[in-house]
Amino acid sequence: MKRIMIWSSLALLLVATGIFVVRAHGSGRRGFGRGGCSHHGPLGYLAYELNLSDGQKSQIQSMWKAEQPAVASLLQELASENREMDSATAQGNLDDNEVAAIAARQGATVTKLLVEKERLKSKVYTTVLNPEQRTKADELQKKWRSRLDYVAARIGDGGE
């Protein structure tokens, strides 16, 4: 069960980070950081729910651009480790020691990614959001945690 939660959290983190990176680079649509706040993706949703001003969106975009090189480097590192894992387990071959070593490096990389995510989140929370937006962000975070708890309980019950 613990392993499932770890991998599920990792998958969610990677999806969210991927969306964040793609959105930061822009897709030609109006959305977060593009002068408007449509409901495209999680960032557009958050900008809408927190009622972020254009100035706040610009501040967050600047913060993201400062963090982007570190995150991109870590994502490249994780992708490289994933390729190593694929090679190590190709055609059903399995060397437990080699897989464990690669998994340990992946775990360290994921830890670094999570620290970067939390650093950015903390900066936004403390320097960009006003007290009302912080309260709303806290409510959204509680809602997210309760959804994760629900999913974890469903998985633990065998999805019944």
Side-chain angles (χ1 to χ4, degrees):
M1 177 64 187
K2 195 176 198 180
R3 186 178 284 171
I4 291 172
M5 288 305 299
I6 291 170
W7 285 110
S8 297
S9 297
L10 174 62
L12 287 172
L13 171 69
L14 291 176
V15 169
T17 303
I19 291 170
F20 200 72
V21 170
V22 169
R23 299 291 290 164
H25 285 274
S27 62
R29 296 186 301 189
R30 289 178 49 119
F32 183 80
R34 298 283 178 235
C37 179
S38 57
H39 290 283
H40 297 289
L43 297 177
Y45 170 77
L46 284 174
Y48 174 78
E49 286 293 322
L50 297 177
N51 196 24
L52 297 178
S53 69
D54 288 341
Q56 288 174 310
K57 291 179 215 173
S58 293
Q59 278 182 282
I60 294 169
Q61 190 73 9
S62 295
M63 289 176 179
W64 165 243
K65 285 184 187 223
E67 294 288 332
Q68 194 172 353
V71 171
S73 172
L74 290 169
L75 287 174
Q76 288 172 349
E77 188 176 325
L78 190 62
S80 174
E81 293 160 348
N82 192 48
R83 285 189 296 276
E84 282 183 62
M85 185 68 80
D86 289 345
S87 293
T89 59
Q91 300 175 348
N93 295 328
L94 181 64
D95 176 348
D96 287 347
N97 292 329
E98 184 178 6
V99 169
I102 296 168
R105 289 197 321 270
Q106 285 178 320
T109 304
V110 169
T111 298
K112 292 174 194 173
L113 276 168
L114 288 170
V115 168
E116 289 297 324
K117 177 191 74 116
E118 292 302 320
R119 181 178 292 130
L120 179 61
K121 191 168 106 177
S122 177
K123 283 182 191 177
V124 169
Y125 189 90
T126 59
T127 63
V128 176
L129 301 183
N130 65 39
E132 181 181 310
Q133 290 168 327
R134 288 179 187 154
T135 300
K136 181 67 177 179
D138 292 339
E139 290 170 9
L140 291 171
Q141 184 72 30
K142 285 178 189 173
K143 188 188 256 185
W144 174 248
R145 271 192 298 263
S146 73
R147 288 181 180 165
L148 284 179
D149 289 342
Y150 172 77
V151 169
R154 295 280 294 159
I155 291 171
D157 292 340
E160 296 174 12

